């Protein structure tokens, strides 16, 4: 977006005294925000459940704890990437679903099922995200049609 001049400051925007409102709301609606957030929260929950110490009982996961660190970091990264690059949301969502299902085996029953469920629902929401719909007005202005941005 920065390279094509879409965010360029024009003289009209500098001269207007109206405050910008809804900046985060506009940003959030242009990407699979809720799905990415649930995926990232699921990854964080799995990470902390892997470091769990209940009294004298320490829960050991996977191959000497390697999976207990790698899988939550991958889920956190996938959640952030799905929000940062919404054009690749299907790829990130499918990988999120595969990794979150595998976490059932690799990370302490998927973070005691809570992290697995959060990241699975997040992956489903990322895959199912439809994208923003831009409304383009026709020349005469009496009819509107939906156009998806490229």
């Amino acid at each position: 977006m920065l390279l094509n001049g879409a965010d360029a400051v024009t003289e009209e925007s500098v001269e207007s005294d109206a405050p910008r409102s809804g900046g985060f709301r506009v940003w959030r609606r242009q990407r699979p925000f809720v799905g990415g957030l649930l995926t990232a929260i699921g990854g964080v929950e799995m990470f902390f459940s892997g470091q769990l110490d209940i009294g004298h009982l320490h829960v050991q996961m996977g191959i000497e704890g390697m999976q207990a660190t790698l899988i939550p970091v991958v889920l956190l990264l996938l959640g952030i990437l799905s929000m940062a690059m919404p054009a690749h949301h299907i790829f990130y969502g499918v990988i999120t679903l595969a990794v979150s299902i595998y976490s059932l085996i690799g990370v302490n029953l998927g973070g005691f099922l809570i992290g697995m469920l959060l990241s699975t629902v997040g992956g489903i929401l990322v895959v199912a995200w439809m994208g923003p719909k831009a409304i383009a007005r026709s020349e005469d202005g009496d009819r509107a049609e939906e156009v998806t941005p490229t």
Side-chain angles (χ1 to χ4, degrees):
M1 286 198 275
L2 294 175
L3 297 177
N4 65 5
D7 293 335
V9 178
T10 61
E11 291 180 23
E12 297 170 359
S13 65
V14 172
E15 293 177 356
S16 69
D17 293 331
R20 276 184 59 170
S21 62
F24 178 71
R25 179 179 293 166
V26 171
W27 179 85
R28 179 179 52 90
R29 290 180 188 222
Q30 293 176 350
R31 54 202 72 242
F33 182 75
V34 175
L37 186 65
L38 285 177
T39 301
I41 290 173
V44 169
E45 195 277 330
M46 277 187 216
F47 181 77
F48 286 120
S49 73
Q51 310 302 320
L52 186 63
D53 198 13
I54 303 172
H56 296 290
L57 176 68
H58 183 72
V59 181
Q60 189 76 22
M61 286 75 43
I63 305 169
E64 298 298 321
M66 176 66 173
Q67 291 178 351
T69 304
L70 188 63
I71 290 174
V73 168
V74 167
L75 285 173
L76 179 66
L77 185 65
L78 285 169
I80 292 170
L81 284 174
S82 66
M83 289 187 286
M85 293 188 279
H88 307 292
H89 69 96
I90 294 176
F91 174 73
Y92 294 135
V94 169
I95 300 298
T96 298
L97 288 170
V99 171
S100 65
I101 296 299
Y102 179 72
S103 73
L104 185 64
I105 299 168
V107 183
N108 206 12
L109 286 177
F112 299 117
L113 296 177
I114 297 170
M116 186 198 73
L117 289 175
L118 283 172
S119 57
T120 303
V121 170
I124 290 169
L125 289 175
V126 167
V127 170
W129 180 67
M130 294 296 289
K133 300 267 191 275
I135 297 178
R137 299 277 179 194
S138 62
E139 293 280 332
D140 53 339
D142 59 0
R143 191 179 119 203
E145 59 186 50
E146 292 184 3
V147 177
T148 57
T150 57

